[in-house]
């Protein structure tokens, strides 16, 4: 059965995040603990110079991301001037970094800790700790503190949007499981409901406690739905 499953995986081209991380480590890359590649099949890490790539702990690398440690632009100089000035640089991504879909991390980039890189961003140079970057070329658009305040402000709006979508499209009330981390708004803090919080800690052990310790605004899910005129 293991052989059959391995063949199926090879044929389909599927690879888990753990397998991809192990593969890159085998090429010399440094990949930290609990770092996740959302879609390894669509992720492009410079395999030829993987030993020059350093990715820290607790990072999330989404689909379509490219991470480089060298380039082939010298080919133009080779054909024009007859010289081949190759270029290799270390590329570093710190701890607790989110890299959005389709972003490109160019060779020599150094991304600090606790950073967010927006979808489609093209990053070069140094990205300071605790910042949010987006664009091509990527520029700082926010500090992490300001981003936190913005997201906290719209946190409840996100819960309403999700619940309304389930009610409208699926024709039923959402479950606690479906509401994910939004349960901090309304889930009773009892042992009966502890399981819903623990389910949030698939990657980070601290998630369950962080959501559990949030300020509770509603009695329960039904109270949340009723007071926001969703049912």
């Amino acid at each position: 059965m293991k052989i059959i499953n391995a063949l199926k995986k090879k044929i389909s081209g599927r690879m888990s995040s753990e397998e991809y991380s192990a593969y890159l480590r085998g090429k010399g890359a440094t990949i930290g603990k609990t770092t996740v590649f959302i879609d390894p099949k669509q992720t492009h890490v410079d395999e030829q110079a993987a030993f020059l790539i350093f990715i820290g702990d607790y990072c999330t690398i989404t689909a379509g991301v490219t991470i480089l440690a060298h380039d082939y632009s010298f080919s133009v100089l080779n054909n024009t001037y007859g010289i081949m000035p190759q270029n290799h640089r270390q590329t570093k991504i710190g701890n607790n970094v989110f890299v959005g879909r389709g972003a490109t991390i160019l060779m020599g980039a150094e991304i600090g800790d606790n950073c967010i890189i927006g979808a489609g961003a093209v990053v070069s140079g140094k990205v300071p700790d605790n910042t949010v970057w987006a664009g091509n070329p990527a520029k700082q658009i926010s500090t992490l503190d300001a981003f936190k305040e913005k997201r906290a402000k719209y946190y409840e709006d996100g819960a309403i949007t999700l619940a309304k979508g389930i009610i409208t499209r699926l024709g039923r009330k959402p479950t606690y499981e479906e509401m994910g981390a939004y349960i901090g708004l309304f889930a009773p803090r009892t042992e009966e409901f502890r399981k819903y919080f623990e389910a949030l800690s698939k990657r980070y052990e601290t998630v369950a406690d962080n959501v559990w310790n949030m300020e509770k605004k509603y009695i329960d899910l039904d109270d949340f739905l009723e007071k926001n005129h969703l049912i």
Side-chain angles (χ1 to χ4, degrees):
M1 183 59 71
K2 289 184 179 179
I3 295 176
I4 293 174
N5 289 336
L7 287 172
K8 286 182 177 179
K9 186 177 292 185
K10 185 174 182 179
I11 293 170
S12 67
R14 294 177 183 173
M15 181 182 286
S16 70
S17 176
E18 292 79 7
E19 290 171 328
Y20 189 53
S21 294
Y23 173 75
L24 292 175
R25 290 186 184 107
K27 292 281 186 177
T30 298
I31 310 293
K33 64 181 180 181
T34 324
T35 281
V36 171
F37 294 90
I38 298 299
D39 190 346
K41 189 176 180 181
Q42 294 188 49
T43 302
H44 307 282
V45 175
D46 194 338
E47 296 181 13
Q48 293 185 32
F51 45 85
L52 296 176
I53 292 175
F54 302 82
I55 302 176
D57 301 332
Y58 304 108
C59 293
T60 300
I61 313 297
T62 58
V65 170
T66 298
I67 303 173
L68 301 173
H70 83 297
D71 71 4
Y72 276 99
S73 61
F74 67 83
S75 63
V76 176
L77 300 176
N78 175 60
N79 293 329
T80 304
Y81 301 106
I83 60 173
M84 291 183 63
Q86 287 185 282
N87 202 348
H88 287 74
R89 298 181 190 173
Q90 290 186 349
T91 300
K92 300 179 180 180
I93 298 175
N95 300 313
N96 192 34
V97 173
F98 173 87
V99 183
R101 186 181 183 92
T104 299
I105 313 301
L106 297 174
M107 66 173 182
E110 294 185 18
I111 300 174
D113 297 337
N114 311 315
C115 291
I116 296 172
I117 306 300
V122 178
V123 181
S124 63
K126 292 188 177 183
V127 172
D129 295 349
N130 306 304
T131 54
V132 181
W133 288 59
N136 179 7
K139 297 180 180 180
Q140 182 177 331
I141 60 172
S142 173
T143 64
L144 194 64
D145 283 341
F147 185 75
K148 180 201 74 171
E149 295 300 323
K150 180 179 179 181
R151 291 299 290 266
K153 180 179 178 181
Y154 294 106
Y155 173 69
E156 190 168 351
D157 288 342
I160 293 170
T161 298
L162 176 59
K164 186 175 181 179
I166 293 172
I167 292 168
T168 302
R169 303 301 296 175
L170 302 182
R172 59 170 176 77
K173 294 193 301 183
T175 64
Y176 281 92
E177 291 93 339
E178 289 172 326
M179 292 303 295
Y182 292 121
I183 62 175
L185 287 167
F186 48 74
R189 305 311 198 258
T190 65
E191 287 306 310
E192 179 185 354
F193 284 83
R194 169 65 79 170
K195 61 184 178 182
Y196 300 116
F197 291 87
E198 291 177 346
L200 300 173
S201 293
K202 292 180 180 179
R203 278 195 62 201
Y204 300 128
E205 295 178 358
T206 58
V207 173
D209 288 337
N210 288 342
V211 177
W212 180 276
N213 292 327
M214 284 179 56
E215 182 179 356
K216 184 168 169 282
K217 189 173 179 180
Y218 301 91
I219 297 172
D220 55 21
L221 178 55
D222 284 338
D223 186 46
F224 164 76
L225 297 173
E226 290 172 2
K227 287 183 177 175
N228 286 290
H229 310 290
L230 297 172
I231 59 173

